[in-house]
Amino acid sequence: MKNFISNWVICIATLFMIMVKPCYAQTTGYRPSFNNTNLLWYKDSATDWNEALPIGNGFIGAMVFGNIQQEHLQLNENTLYSGEPSLVYKKVVITPTFDSVVGMIRNHKNAEAEEFIRKNWLGRLHHNYEPLGDLYLDFDQHGAITNYGRELDLEKAIIKISYQQNGVVYTREIFASNPDRSIIIRLRADKPGALNFKANLSSIHPTSKQSAVNNNTIILKGQAPGYAERRSFAEMEKWKDEYKHPELYDSLGKRKFDKRVLYGDEIGGLGMFFESRLKVISGDGSLSAGLNGLTVKKASEVILVLVAATSYNGWQKSPSREGVDPSAKNEKTITSASKKSYQSLLAAHLTDYTKLFGRVTLDLGGKSTASGLPTDQRIIAFKNNPDNALASLLFQYGRYLMIAGSRAGGQPNNLQGIWNKEVLPPWNSGYTININTEMNYWPAEITNLSECMAPLFTMVKEVAESGRETAKNMYGRKRGWVVHHNVSIWRETYPNDNSPRASFWLMAGGWFSSHFWEHYLFTGDLNFLRTQAYPLMKGAAEFYADWLVENDKKQLVTPVSTSPENNFTTVDKQISSVSMGGTMDMAIIRELFQRTIDASEILKIDESLRNELKDKLARLLPFKIGARGQLQEWQDDYQEPEPQHRHISHLYGLYPGNQITQHATPELFNAVAKSLEIRGDGATGWSMGWKINTWARLLQGDHAYKIIQNLFTPVAFGGVKNNAGGLYMNLLDACPPFQIDGNFGYTSGLAEMLLQSQAGFIQLLPALPSVWPEGKVTGLMARGNFKVDMQWKNRKISSGVITSLQGGNCRLRTSVPVKIEGVKSNLAEGENPNPLFRFIFPGKPEKSAGTAVTTLPNVKYFTIDFKTEIGKSYHFIAE
């Protein structure tokens, strides 16, 4: 865990790097080109990947460095992975030894059971998300530099670099267009003939080769690794896992290669093909292209279009044998873009992007002396100088990253979104689905980016198809589908290797199902519930219904359970992670069973399954409170060797679930708070994102803000490999190293501080910290399909507008009484009649008759019900 010493080491290292950083530009006097609070800007170029700025269109992405003599765009395409479907490891069967392992756990031989699982019930790592290549623009201008600036405009999704050299002002504008599936680059000089450069495409993959065509286009072709193994030879051999890797070891366990990344003939020609193209579509000056790249001389403006594609043809098809032709895809895309002017390309991009980004505005009020500083300096100053505008900027940055990385038809955001530079990236840069993938999508619904959920929904449907095979073959013909804790584009659903405390965890099917149900609650889309959500929920529920067993109290529990990725001390003083009926397991299953029951009742189908789930729901092991007053993480009140562990999985029932609330389950609510106190406030970057959301659900805004302050710890580029998380200078989350889930967790957490709707009512400003006494927000979404605009003063709501996009009853909760203009609240007492406001927890639902006052410890709430009409806006003011 992060400690005092590591905090200071990181801060000092970061400050030192900034002080000694090479001075690429004399930046005296530079200021952003216009007044925009949603702007990242810097007075120098990036000297490291973690300082570069990201762009993306949901399919291709780039990290833009902004160097003066050599611009660098590191490129990704979101289907480019190592491996193939035929290389997915599926040789795990647990049924012959299931009773033996469960017997060990029942007899408190947890460590013995864990070791058996490690040796016999685990598979191998999933495949890797791969970088595509690099675009380099080498400029043939020399001389002293003044007024250098680098900007990322979140409102337009455009990067701009500008500087002056030899009396000439040079500018670059770069954006990734979703409508045109391209990256567009405009290079300009304000004097004729002053722009001279050479462009080259290259790749870290040794299979790549550059060529030229038509004197205006360069093409990069290559093939990703057919096999790439992140585990070291020493690790695989220590675990005696040689037999799981026939690509690297022969039948006698001897190494075939002295490397773990295999290309082309080394792996029988397997591996995904890729191609990228760069074309000059307009400009002046002279132009030529050849094997050495594309050369432009004596120009004043040049427009470049970059496209990329792979041979990916679906998760079940070989990209090398059955793949699509990336050249044909690129030719179609670049030909279409080439017919358009720069202004037309820009207009299409802005129309598409601003339609999404512009839905939400945020102003947290207050003024900071750091607000006029470059972004990197503001990060450093944040802890000692509250900078509410920077807090707002990071919130909007998360929304920007969501739009850039996750669009319909593409792949979902993985551990690094859409951006990765390494052949063997940290944690394979895949989908870690015991928290990280789900966290990536926490902000989508509440921050009005529901469309960005589409890639995740597609992936889960594919995972469910793969997971049906795993449920059948690994688990002895269980109904439904199952998936473990890691997935790649090949939709692996068997467990990974090495450690049961991470790899043998099979609750992601239930967690994924919650995203489908929440989408229904936020949008009211009954057809989505019927055709997409319910089939997935049903399959996950069927598997868990078959997986449950009775404990010694006749309660239903999961027979083999881990709480990601934590250990406990057993009764015989050993360290283990394997038990029965872990709290997170039971919370997810309880939630899934109830929601599947609700969905089947709404849809009037599957009465038999509904009755089965009702019976088993009533018999599930309940939440338990431990001797320290904490919410127990396991069925038994074990001690933890690492009390301040980065995961807080057992708190799922509070967040992202809604089984634990202040009103309905106050004792459990307080137990969650105690658990968080024990965990502490320091953590990895993504864990801090998680904790912000959880403290917000506990209605403790100042504590949530304390975690925000910790997240704004500047992290030196390159990453300090410990648990001290924070932010890189480009505002990307540092685990470290970079993981994007912390960015998304922060954005959802800030939204939860301003608006909550999980407990059957819309609560305004539920966890507002004292540092944000006044402000305003527009466009946040609440369950029930309500759009909320509001402003506040003196930490109290002052006015706002609720727009009903679905109709039905609205139940509104505030800390001061409000008046809804033109509305009488005269509903009869009872459970909220709006079906989209259903909320499930062990306790009686809150009732309200018109306006009600609820007094809870240290706070008084005012609740008002009123009927709404579809499409109508309702203004309210504080009385």
Side-chain angles (χ1 to χ4, degrees):
M1 299 302 290
K2 183 168 68 176
N3 55 41
F4 180 82
I5 295 175
S6 61
N7 256 335
W8 276 104
V9 168
I10 289 173
C11 291
I12 292 171
T14 303
L15 290 168
F16 176 77
M17 286 179 156
I18 291 170
M19 291 171 64
V20 303
K21 185 173 177 178
C23 185
Y24 285 89
Q26 300 298 320
T27 59
T28 302
Y30 175 80
R31 289 292 181 270
S33 55
F34 56 92
N35 185 21
N36 179 358
T37 57
N38 291 317
L39 190 77
L40 285 72
W41 70 279
Y42 305 84
K43 288 189 174 184
D44 50 20
S45 58
T47 58
D48 180 84
W49 194 92
N50 292 309
E51 293 182 342
L53 295 172
I55 57 170
N57 61 14
F59 297 88
I60 57 177
M63 296 296 287
V64 182
F65 284 66
N67 294 331
I68 293 170
Q69 294 302 131
Q70 185 185 67
E71 178 62 274
H72 177 198
L73 275 70
Q74 186 270 311
L75 306 173
N76 287 98
E77 203 277 354
N78 73 350
T79 61
L80 188 59
Y81 279 74
S82 65
E84 297 213 359
S86 62
L87 299 182
V88 173
Y89 190 84
K90 300 180 179 180
K91 298 177 182 179
V92 181
V93 178
I94 74 166
T95 46
T97 55
F98 174 77
D99 289 340
S100 174
V101 169
V102 174
M104 295 179 201
I105 298 172
R106 289 187 188 278
N107 291 316
H108 304 291
K109 297 179 180 179
N110 305 77
E112 183 179 336
E114 178 169 359
E115 180 61 13
F116 185 92
I117 292 169
R118 189 190 67 77
K119 291 180 178 179
N120 300 282
W121 285 15
L122 301 183
R124 71 181 192 185
L125 283 183
H126 58 301
H127 291 279
N128 298 269
Y129 181 51
E130 295 293 332
L132 185 144
D134 302 272
L135 169 63
Y136 291 101
L137 302 174
D138 291 291
F139 293 91
D140 190 19
Q141 291 88 229
H142 304 279
I145 305 297
T146 58
N147 295 327
Y148 177 92
R150 180 167 58 107
E151 306 173 0
L152 169 56
D153 181 353
L154 301 184
E155 294 181 1
K156 297 180 179 179
I158 298 175
I159 289 176
K160 180 180 178 181
I161 295 102
S162 64
Y163 56 92
Q164 190 169 355
Q165 186 177 32
N166 297 328
V168 180
V169 176
Y170 293 94
T171 58
R172 306 170 198 165
E173 293 176 355
I174 306 170
F175 63 89
S177 168
N178 178 271
D180 288 292
R181 300 289 173 87
S182 308
I183 292 176
I184 313 298
I185 305 169
R186 178 165 71 166
L187 307 173
R188 291 188 294 172
D190 72 347
K191 291 186 179 180
L195 183 61
N196 302 277
F197 69 92
K198 179 176 286 187
N200 274 285
L201 289 168
S202 62
S203 176
I204 195 172
H205 300 296
T207 56
S208 65
K209 185 178 181 180
Q210 180 178 258
S211 61
V213 64
N214 294 336
N215 212 41
N216 63 359
T217 304
I218 52 176
I219 300 174
L220 180 74
K221 293 178 180 286
Q223 188 177 23
Y227 179 85
E229 177 56 53
R230 184 167 59 85
R231 299 299 191 203
S232 69
F233 282 116
E235 288 174 318
M236 290 183 280
E237 291 160 12
K238 175 184 177 182
W239 305 330
K240 302 188 185 304
D241 276 358
E242 294 93 333
Y243 71 96
K244 298 177 183 177
H245 302 273
E247 300 86 355
L248 298 178
Y249 294 92
D250 64 20
S251 59
L252 299 177
K254 294 184 178 179
R255 298 180 190 177
K256 296 179 181 179
F257 301 93
D258 61 357
K259 58 182 180 178
R260 295 168 288 125
V261 179
L262 307 179
Y263 290 91
D265 293 341
E266 297 169 336
I267 190 66
L270 299 180
M272 192 180 301
F273 295 102
F274 61 86
E275 183 193 279
S276 183
R277 297 188 180 196
L278 180 74
K279 181 178 182 180
V280 175
I281 65 169
S282 70
D284 53 5
S286 64
L287 174 65
S288 63
L291 293 178
N292 293 324
L294 190 154
T295 301
V296 175
K297 294 182 178 180
K298 296 183 178 181
S300 56
E301 179 176 278
V302 175
I303 310 300
L304 302 168
V305 173
L306 185 141
V307 298
T310 75
S311 61
Y312 177 72
N313 194 24
W315 66 278
Q316 293 175 299
K317 293 185 177 181
S318 164
S320 61
R321 274 49 165 182
E322 307 168 274
V324 299
D325 181 5
S327 297
K329 292 171 67 176
N330 280 337
E331 177 65 25
K332 181 179 179 181
T333 303
I334 208 164
T335 298
S336 174
S338 299
K339 297 176 181 178
K340 303 176 182 179
S341 67
Y342 177 79
Q343 293 303 326
S344 177
L345 292 166
L346 177 62
H349 161 69
L350 291 176
T351 298
D352 167 77
Y353 176 79
T354 58
K355 178 182 66 176
L356 296 170
F357 185 83
R359 291 173 180 170
V360 173
T361 66
L362 176 64
D363 180 356
L364 295 176
K367 293 184 179 181
S368 168
T369 57
S371 60
L373 297 176
T375 304
D376 49 354
Q377 295 180 36
R378 292 175 72 182
I379 298 171
I380 295 169
F382 188 91
K383 274 198 173 182
N384 297 319
N385 186 356
D387 187 345
N388 294 350
L390 184 60
S392 175
L393 178 67
L394 187 62
F395 167 84
Q396 292 286 26
Y397 192 49
R399 298 184 67 248
Y400 165 83
L401 294 170
M402 179 71 73
I403 300 168
S406 185
R407 302 296 294 273
Q411 296 297 312
N413 285 305
N414 63 36
L415 275 176
Q416 296 182 203
I418 199 174
W419 303 277
N420 166 48
K421 64 182 174 66
E422 300 182 46
V423 174
L424 294 175
W427 304 286
N428 298 56
S429 192
Y431 301 98
T432 303
I433 56 179
N434 65 6
I435 173 61
N436 311 98
T437 302
E438 292 87 350
M439 183 185 288
N440 281 356
Y441 286 89
W442 285 350
E445 304 286 1
I446 190 171
T447 73
N448 217 332
L449 295 175
S450 188
E451 296 93 329
C452 293
M453 294 293 300
L456 179 68
F457 293 149
T458 298
M459 184 184 84
V460 174
K461 285 183 280 187
E462 294 169 351
V463 164
E465 186 174 348
S466 172
R468 287 186 182 278
E469 176 187 346
T470 303
K472 175 183 176 182
N473 296 334
M474 178 177 170
Y475 286 93
R477 298 187 178 278
K478 293 282 190 290
R479 292 177 295 171
W481 62 278
V482 66
V483 59
H484 295 81
H485 99 295
N486 263 300
V487 175
S488 80
I489 202 168
W490 307 121
R491 308 315 188 219
E492 302 92 335
T493 51
Y494 281 75
N496 274 359
D497 60 5
N498 177 26
S499 172
R501 72 174 187 162
S503 298
F504 197 79
W505 183 82
L506 51 155
M507 305 310 300
W511 199 339
F512 278 149
S513 295
S514 74
H515 285 273
F516 284 77
W517 176 253
E518 292 284 359
H519 184 74
Y520 166 66
L521 293 184
F522 272 96
T523 66
D525 188 340
L526 191 62
N527 184 60
F528 175 85
L529 179 66
R530 179 183 296 108
T531 61
Q532 296 193 56
Y534 182 74
L536 271 297
M537 295 166 65
K538 174 184 176 181
E542 286 177 326
F543 177 83
Y544 296 134
D546 289 351
W547 176 240
L548 292 167
V549 298
E550 288 187 344
N551 64 10
D552 56 3
K553 296 181 179 179
K554 305 300 182 182
Q555 297 164 322
L556 292 179
V557 297
T558 47
V560 183
S561 173
T562 58
S563 187
E565 300 168 4
N566 204 3
N567 287 325
F568 57 84
T569 304
T570 67
V571 294
D572 56 356
K573 306 302 181 183
Q574 296 190 60
I575 304 299
S576 181
S577 66
V578 175
S579 66
M580 300 178 73
T583 299
M584 187 189 207
D585 288 13
M586 305 315 300
I588 289 176
I589 292 174
R590 184 180 299 107
E591 173 185 270
L592 176 64
F593 280 9
Q594 183 62 68
R595 290 175 172 182
T596 306
I597 292 166
D598 289 347
S600 75
E601 290 177 343
I602 293 168
L603 299 173
K604 297 180 173 58
I605 56 177
D606 288 333
E607 182 179 2
S608 176
L609 174 64
R610 187 191 317 153
N611 291 334
E612 176 190 356
L613 296 181
K614 284 182 177 180
D615 173 69
K616 292 184 175 179
L617 176 64
R619 298 165 59 201
L620 292 177
L621 173 71
F623 290 110
K624 300 173 76 174
I625 297 175
R628 291 168 291 170
Q630 88 287 7
L631 190 73
Q632 280 187 203
E633 189 161 357
W634 298 277
Q635 181 177 210
D636 296 310
D637 193 8
Y638 295 119
Q639 294 295 309
E640 301 171 66
E642 190 183 352
Q644 296 189 331
H645 195 268
R646 62 193 178 277
H647 282 256
I648 50 174
S649 305
H650 58 305
L651 309 185
Y652 181 97
L654 177 84
Y655 187 88
N658 66 341
Q659 297 168 59
I660 298 174
T661 70
Q662 184 186 40
H663 168 78
T665 58
E667 291 184 355
L668 294 176
F669 189 81
N670 293 333
V672 168
K674 184 62 177 179
S675 292
L676 271 182
E677 290 172 10
I678 293 171
R679 279 292 196 265
D681 295 332
T684 59
W686 61 265
S687 181
M688 285 191 274
W690 197 353
K691 290 178 179 179
I692 294 167
N693 286 271
T694 312
W695 280 112
R697 282 283 177 92
L698 287 171
L699 311 177
Q700 297 192 34
D702 283 332
H703 205 135
Y705 185 78
K706 184 178 180 182
I707 309 297
I708 289 175
Q709 287 181 298
N710 290 343
L711 182 63
F712 273 92
T713 298
V715 175
F717 61 72
V720 181
K721 293 190 175 181
N722 55 27
N723 283 337
L727 297 174
Y728 292 113
M729 292 307 165
N730 57 10
L731 284 181
L732 290 178
D733 169 64
C735 180
F738 163 56
Q739 274 189 208
I740 203 167
D741 40 17
N743 289 99
F744 294 129
Y746 170 84
T747 295
S748 63
L750 192 150
E752 289 282 337
M753 294 166 76
L754 301 179
L755 176 71
Q756 294 180 22
S757 60
Q758 75 282 354
F761 46 79
I762 299 172
Q763 186 165 357
L764 306 182
L765 307 181
L768 189 70
S770 55
V771 74
W772 303 338
E774 61 181 16
K776 57 185 177 181
V777 65
T778 66
L780 293 181
M781 296 299 296
R783 293 163 183 83
N785 207 0
F786 294 98
K787 183 168 72 74
V788 179
D789 306 336
M790 59 180 166
Q791 57 186 17
W792 62 94
K793 295 179 181 179
N794 301 318
R795 298 187 70 192
K796 303 291 184 182
I797 195 74
S798 57
S799 63
V801 180
I802 293 179
T803 302
S804 176
L805 302 177
Q806 192 73 22
N809 179 63
C810 178
R811 178 168 292 174
L812 187 65
R813 168 170 283 190
T814 56
S815 61
V816 295
V818 298
K819 179 181 179 181
I820 314 294
E821 294 181 358
V823 168
K824 291 184 178 181
S825 57
N826 55 3
L827 293 177
E829 181 178 351
E831 184 178 349
N832 194 331
N834 190 335
L836 298 183
F837 259 156
R838 284 195 164 190
F839 58 108
I840 307 302
F841 44 68
K844 293 182 179 180
E846 182 171 332
K847 298 180 179 181
S848 174
T851 301
V853 179
T854 303
T855 301
L856 292 167
N858 303 319
V859 69
K860 179 185 288 186
Y861 294 119
F862 299 85
T863 306
I864 184 170
D865 283 89
F866 60 99
K867 294 180 180 179
T868 71
E869 299 176 16
I870 297 176
K872 187 173 180 179
S873 294
Y874 298 85
H875 294 256
F876 63 85
I877 58 173
E879 292 191 77

